[in-house]
Amino acid sequence: MTLKWNSIFHKLHLLSCVAIPPSSRSLHVGQRASLIKAFSRRDVELFGDLTGDTNPLHLDPAYASTTSFRAPVVHGVLINGLISAVLGTKMPGHGCVLLRQEIHFSAPLYIGEKVLAEAEVRKIKMSLAFIAVTCSVKDKVVMKGEVTVMMPEEQQKD
């Protein structure tokens, strides 16, 4: 019986010494994620209430009609929140931390328009992912930029 246990122990010890290649990173260059959302008038009103940004350009159709936009536009930070949703729920996903962003708003997003928020991994360096982001309505880009995120620990394997 002792010989049998020694044999099993020896086999287990050998298995524990076998080099197992590190798992590959689940995030890779070229990977993409997206979501689609249309903001309602109520969404914009709630955002204004939550933040205190009650600029009539966003909330008052009569005022907005006197501007070059001709209608209320969605807050830029609310649009940018879609990128946060893509990063935090889809790619890299739960546990990622937004460290830096550089964004540019190139066109207005009007209430009710369906906006496509997209992210694409451009570079990975150690625990950081450099990601290009865009928000667009059909062929109209309303926001674009780049973000840097710290990946969740389970995605930081080399």
Side-chain angles (χ1 to χ4, degrees), residues 59-108:
L59 303 169
D60 182 356
Y63 174 82
S65 71
T66 68
T67 71
S68 61
F69 297 106
R70 298 284 180 220
V73 297
V74 176
H75 297 80
V77 177
L78 191 52
I79 300 165
N80 191 36
L82 296 178
I83 296 301
S84 179
V86 170
L87 299 173
T89 65
K90 297 185 177 212
M91 180 196 78
H94 299 177
C96 79
V97 178
L98 180 63
L99 300 175
R100 182 191 72 81
Q101 66 178 352
E102 184 175 323
I103 54 174
H104 172 72
F105 296 96
S106 49

